[in-house]
Amino acid sequence: MKTSALKLNRLFLLTMALIMPSQAASYKEYKIPLPFAMGQEGKGGILTADMNSDGKLDLLVTSPGQLAALETNGKTLWFRKADIRVSAGSSERYGLPGHDAPGTQVCDIDGDGLVEVLFLDQSNTIHILSGDTGRSKSEITILNPKGSERWEHMAVVNLRGEGDKDIVLQCTNSKGYRVGHYLAAYSVDNSKA
């Protein structure tokens, strides 16, 4: 299995510059080995969240065909092959989610006190995984609108005042200059998640 290393110094340096400008020049570079090679040209991305309820931020890294949760010490919590929707290039040409977008959302969607990872695949299916193990908890397939190729982007939001239990989907037209004017919103409880 080919691995690659994720360098965190750019994010860390940016954070340091925002919080402590006088110390921005002093930073320590961390390299964390990944269980897969990263996508080229901005395909995939990274999120931080406490995936295993230990009170520390973990990393959720995505690349075409795969995603993994890692502790910041490099320990892999889980790795999963999946047809995750990540894209590269301009969204006007290739569709959403666009450059460096991880294509995932992390939240407690079912209210059990533990985080879940949600991602959209290339076939209009939203996958809901356990944040600490990566095991599948649920899948929801939602047909895309006529004139579009597939659902391309997903956000978990609070539209009804009941917490992060609503999903907004967006996609672009399938021909010509791509504009993301197709939107749909679903409540998770109505989608049987």
Side-chain angles (χ1 to χ4, degrees):
M1 175 183 345
K2 184 178 180 184
T3 63
S4 63
L6 178 68
K7 291 177 70 172
L8 295 180
N9 61 320
R10 183 171 71 170
L11 177 62
F12 184 75
L13 183 60
L14 174 62
T15 303
M16 290 297 293
L18 292 174
I19 296 172
M20 297 176 277
S22 64
Q23 297 178 10
S26 63
Y27 66 92
K28 184 175 181 181
E29 181 177 298
Y30 292 91
K31 290 185 181 182
I32 298 173
L34 299 177
F36 55 81
M38 287 298 293
Q40 299 300 310
E41 301 172 12
K43 293 180 183 176
I46 185 170
L47 289 174
T48 59
D50 183 1
M51 305 293 285
N52 56 3
S53 302
D54 66 356
K56 299 176 186 173
L57 288 177
D58 302 304
L59 307 172
L60 179 63
V61 183
T62 65
S63 186
Q66 51 214 352
L67 63 160
L70 301 102
E71 292 181 340
T72 55
N73 64 9
K75 177 185 173 195
T76 299
L77 296 172
W78 54 265
F79 166 75
R80 183 179 180 106
K81 290 200 173 280
D83 194 21
I84 187 169
R85 174 71 186 157
V86 293
S87 62
S90 69
S91 57
E92 294 84 0
R93 177 179 264 174
Y94 299 104
L96 300 168
H99 275 300
D100 300 314
T104 58
Q105 298 280 292
V106 179
C107 65
D108 179 13
I109 195 103
D110 60 10
D112 66 355
L114 303 171
V115 298
E116 285 80 36
V117 174
L118 287 80
F119 71 90
L120 189 59
D121 72 14
Q122 303 284 3
S123 303
N124 296 323
T125 299
I126 299 169
H127 298 264
I128 302 174
L129 310 177
S130 172
D132 60 345
T133 65
R135 290 189 187 115
S136 180
K137 291 182 84 170
S138 186
E139 295 179 357
I140 307 163
T141 301
I142 301 172
L143 297 177
N144 58 298
K146 186 176 180 177
S148 67
E149 197 174 321
R150 68 175 94 52
W151 289 113
E152 299 170 349
H153 186 62
M154 170 192 62
V156 177
V157 296
N158 179 2
L159 296 174
R160 300 171 294 147
E162 297 179 16
D164 291 338
K165 299 184 181 302
D166 303 309
I167 295 174
V168 175
L169 297 171
Q170 184 178 17
C171 59
T172 59
N173 47 297
S174 59
K175 295 181 181 171
Y177 184 82
R178 296 178 80 133
V179 178
H181 58 83
Y182 296 102
L183 290 171
Y186 295 90
S187 62
V188 172
D189 49 6
N190 290 339
S191 298
K192 298 182 174 114

